[in-house]
Amino acid sequence: MPSGIRLQRIADRVRQELSELLIREINDPRLHQIFVTDVTIDRELAYADVYVSAIEGAGRSAEILAGLESASGFLRRTLSSRVEVRAFPRLRFHWDPTPENADHIEKVLAGLREKK
C-alpha cells in the first residue's frame, strides 16, 4: 500500500492533469466553466473521488456530473497515460458545494459588518 504522502502526490497530479484536460481537450458544452476542487484516492488505488464545482453554482450540477460520467472512459484512459501508476483508479465524480457555501458565508459576514 502506498504511503499517505504518495497518495496525496498522485491525487494532486490527477487534479492538475484533469483540470488541463477539461480546459484544453474536452469539447462537451456541459463541461464548460467547471473546475476541479479536490481529488482523493483510496488506499488501494481503486477509486479516485473527483470533486467539481462550476462558476454558475449548483444549478447545473446534474448536467455537469452526467457529462463527466459520459466522458469518464476517455478521461481515465488519457489520465492513465499521463500519471504513472501501475493500475489507474476508476473515477467517481461528486459535486462540491464548498465554493457556494463560502460565498454565502462571505455575504453574511459582509452584512454583519455593514450593520456595525
PDB file of all heavy atoms in Angstrom, residues 44-46 76 80 83-90:
ATOM      1  N   GLU A  44      -6.162   1.652  -1.675  1.00  0.00           N
ATOM      2  CA  GLU A  44      -5.897   0.557  -2.610  1.00  0.00           C
ATOM      3  C   GLU A  44      -5.700   1.040  -4.048  1.00  0.00           C
ATOM      4  O   GLU A  44      -5.518   0.225  -4.946  1.00  0.00           O
ATOM      5  CB  GLU A  44      -7.050  -0.454  -2.578  1.00  0.00           C
ATOM      6  CG  GLU A  44      -7.148  -1.225  -1.283  1.00  0.00           C
ATOM      7  CD  GLU A  44      -7.857  -0.429  -0.197  1.00  0.00           C
ATOM      8  OE1 GLU A  44      -8.673   0.452  -0.525  1.00  0.00           O
ATOM      9  OE2 GLU A  44      -7.579  -0.687   0.980  1.00  0.00           O
ATOM     10  N   LEU A  45      -5.790   2.333  -4.274  1.00  0.00           N
ATOM     11  CA  LEU A  45      -5.712   2.936  -5.611  1.00  0.00           C
ATOM     12  C   LEU A  45      -6.791   2.380  -6.540  1.00  0.00           C
ATOM     13  O   LEU A  45      -6.592   2.254  -7.743  1.00  0.00           O
ATOM     14  CB  LEU A  45      -4.329   2.725  -6.236  1.00  0.00           C
ATOM     15  CG  LEU A  45      -3.189   3.484  -5.607  1.00  0.00           C
ATOM     16  CD1 LEU A  45      -1.859   3.029  -6.188  1.00  0.00           C
ATOM     17  CD2 LEU A  45      -3.353   4.966  -5.820  1.00  0.00           C
ATOM     18  N   ALA A  46      -7.948   2.055  -5.981  1.00  0.00           N
ATOM     19  CA  ALA A  46      -9.050   1.532  -6.784  1.00  0.00           C
ATOM     20  C   ALA A  46      -9.958   2.642  -7.297  1.00  0.00           C
ATOM     21  O   ALA A  46     -10.466   2.559  -8.414  1.00  0.00           O
ATOM     22  CB  ALA A  46      -9.862   0.525  -5.973  1.00  0.00           C
ATOM     23  N   ARG A  76     -10.230   8.744 -18.004  1.00  0.00           N
ATOM     24  CA  ARG A  76      -9.407   7.744 -17.319  1.00  0.00           C
ATOM     25  C   ARG A  76      -8.286   7.247 -18.218  1.00  0.00           C
ATOM     26  O   ARG A  76      -7.145   7.101 -17.793  1.00  0.00           O
ATOM     27  CB  ARG A  76     -10.286   6.587 -16.860  1.00  0.00           C
ATOM     28  CG  ARG A  76      -9.513   5.558 -16.063  1.00  0.00           C
ATOM     29  CD  ARG A  76     -10.423   4.474 -15.529  1.00  0.00           C
ATOM     30  NE  ARG A  76      -9.652   3.565 -14.708  1.00  0.00           N
ATOM     31  CZ  ARG A  76      -9.836   2.264 -14.698  1.00  0.00           C
ATOM     32  NH1 ARG A  76     -10.791   1.716 -15.420  1.00  0.00           N
ATOM     33  NH2 ARG A  76      -9.095   1.499 -13.936  1.00  0.00           N
ATOM     34  N   SER A  80      -4.407   7.948 -17.421  1.00  0.00           N
ATOM     35  CA  SER A  80      -3.525   6.812 -17.152  1.00  0.00           C
ATOM     36  C   SER A  80      -2.237   6.893 -17.968  1.00  0.00           C
ATOM     37  O   SER A  80      -1.203   6.390 -17.539  1.00  0.00           O
ATOM     38  CB  SER A  80      -4.242   5.491 -17.421  1.00  0.00           C
ATOM     39  OG  SER A  80      -4.486   5.324 -18.799  1.00  0.00           O
ATOM     40  N   VAL A  83      -0.276  10.018 -15.896  1.00  0.00           N
ATOM     41  CA  VAL A  83       0.080   9.828 -14.490  1.00  0.00           C
ATOM     42  C   VAL A  83       0.568   8.389 -14.339  1.00  0.00           C
ATOM     43  O   VAL A  83      -0.170   7.452 -14.625  1.00  0.00           O
ATOM     44  CB  VAL A  83      -1.127  10.086 -13.562  1.00  0.00           C
ATOM     45  CG1 VAL A  83      -0.749   9.873 -12.107  1.00  0.00           C
ATOM     46  CG2 VAL A  83      -1.678  11.489 -13.780  1.00  0.00           C
ATOM     47  N   GLU A  84       1.788   8.236 -13.895  1.00  0.00           N
ATOM     48  CA  GLU A  84       2.384   6.905 -13.841  1.00  0.00           C
ATOM     49  C   GLU A  84       2.029   6.184 -12.538  1.00  0.00           C
ATOM     50  O   GLU A  84       2.601   6.449 -11.487  1.00  0.00           O
ATOM     51  CB  GLU A  84       3.894   7.012 -13.985  1.00  0.00           C
ATOM     52  CG  GLU A  84       4.313   7.514 -15.348  1.00  0.00           C
ATOM     53  CD  GLU A  84       5.818   7.545 -15.498  1.00  0.00           C
ATOM     54  OE1 GLU A  84       6.517   6.816 -14.768  1.00  0.00           O
ATOM     55  OE2 GLU A  84       6.283   8.299 -16.354  1.00  0.00           O
ATOM     56  N   VAL A  85       1.057   5.293 -12.640  1.00  0.00           N
ATOM     57  CA  VAL A  85       0.720   4.357 -11.573  1.00  0.00           C
ATOM     58  C   VAL A  85       0.482   3.005 -12.250  1.00  0.00           C
ATOM     59  O   VAL A  85       0.153   2.942 -13.430  1.00  0.00           O
ATOM     60  CB  VAL A  85      -0.522   4.783 -10.757  1.00  0.00           C
ATOM     61  CG1 VAL A  85      -0.239   5.988  -9.904  1.00  0.00           C
ATOM     62  CG2 VAL A  85      -1.709   5.034 -11.637  1.00  0.00           C
ATOM     63  N   ARG A  86       0.659   1.954 -11.486  1.00  0.00           N
ATOM     64  CA  ARG A  86       0.554   0.611 -12.061  1.00  0.00           C
ATOM     65  C   ARG A  86      -0.831   0.357 -12.652  1.00  0.00           C
ATOM     66  O   ARG A  86      -0.977  -0.091 -13.772  1.00  0.00           O
ATOM     67  CB  ARG A  86       0.871  -0.415 -10.990  1.00  0.00           C
ATOM     68  CG  ARG A  86       1.169  -1.776 -11.537  1.00  0.00           C
ATOM     69  CD  ARG A  86       1.647  -2.692 -10.473  1.00  0.00           C
ATOM     70  NE  ARG A  86       2.561  -1.958  -9.583  1.00  0.00           N
ATOM     71  CZ  ARG A  86       3.226  -2.478  -8.603  1.00  0.00           C
ATOM     72  NH1 ARG A  86       3.091  -3.753  -8.343  1.00  0.00           N
ATOM     73  NH2 ARG A  86       4.017  -1.764  -7.845  1.00  0.00           N
ATOM     74  N   ALA A  87      -1.862   0.632 -11.877  1.00  0.00           N
ATOM     75  CA  ALA A  87      -3.246   0.489 -12.339  1.00  0.00           C
ATOM     76  C   ALA A  87      -3.970   1.778 -11.979  1.00  0.00           C
ATOM     77  O   ALA A  87      -4.057   2.136 -10.804  1.00  0.00           O
ATOM     78  CB  ALA A  87      -3.917  -0.704 -11.675  1.00  0.00           C
ATOM     79  N   PHE A  88      -4.476   2.469 -12.979  1.00  0.00           N
ATOM     80  CA  PHE A  88      -5.106   3.759 -12.727  1.00  0.00           C
ATOM     81  C   PHE A  88      -6.478   3.561 -12.083  1.00  0.00           C
ATOM     82  O   PHE A  88      -7.266   2.707 -12.500  1.00  0.00           O
ATOM     83  CB  PHE A  88      -5.253   4.558 -14.024  1.00  0.00           C
ATOM     84  CG  PHE A  88      -5.487   6.007 -13.774  1.00  0.00           C
ATOM     85  CD1 PHE A  88      -4.431   6.848 -13.503  1.00  0.00           C
ATOM     86  CD2 PHE A  88      -6.767   6.524 -13.765  1.00  0.00           C
ATOM     87  CE1 PHE A  88      -4.645   8.188 -13.243  1.00  0.00           C
ATOM     88  CE2 PHE A  88      -6.996   7.849 -13.499  1.00  0.00           C
ATOM     89  CZ  PHE A  88      -5.923   8.693 -13.245  1.00  0.00           C
ATOM     90  N   PRO A  89      -6.789   4.340 -11.042  1.00  0.00           N
ATOM     91  CA  PRO A  89      -8.079   4.171 -10.341  1.00  0.00           C
ATOM     92  C   PRO A  89      -9.265   4.596 -11.196  1.00  0.00           C
ATOM     93  O   PRO A  89      -9.143   5.410 -12.113  1.00  0.00           O
ATOM     94  CB  PRO A  89      -7.927   5.081  -9.119  1.00  0.00           C
ATOM     95  CG  PRO A  89      -6.865   6.052  -9.469  1.00  0.00           C
ATOM     96  CD  PRO A  89      -5.959   5.381 -10.448  1.00  0.00           C
ATOM     97  N   ARG A  90     -10.417   4.032 -10.872  1.00  0.00           N
ATOM     98  CA  ARG A  90     -11.659   4.446 -11.522  1.00  0.00           C
ATOM     99  C   ARG A  90     -12.055   5.812 -10.985  1.00  0.00           C
ATOM    100  O   ARG A  90     -11.850   6.117  -9.815  1.00  0.00           O
ATOM    101  CB  ARG A  90     -12.767   3.452 -11.236  1.00  0.00           C
ATOM    102  CG  ARG A  90     -12.513   2.126 -11.871  1.00  0.00           C
ATOM    103  CD  ARG A  90     -13.625   1.179 -11.559  1.00  0.00           C
ATOM    104  NE  ARG A  90     -13.270  -0.116 -12.092  1.00  0.00           N
ATOM    105  CZ  ARG A  90     -14.145  -0.948 -12.588  1.00  0.00           C
ATOM    106  NH1 ARG A  90     -15.415  -0.651 -12.591  1.00  0.00           N
ATOM    107  NH2 ARG A  90     -13.748  -2.107 -13.065  1.00  0.00           N
TER     108      ARG A  90
END
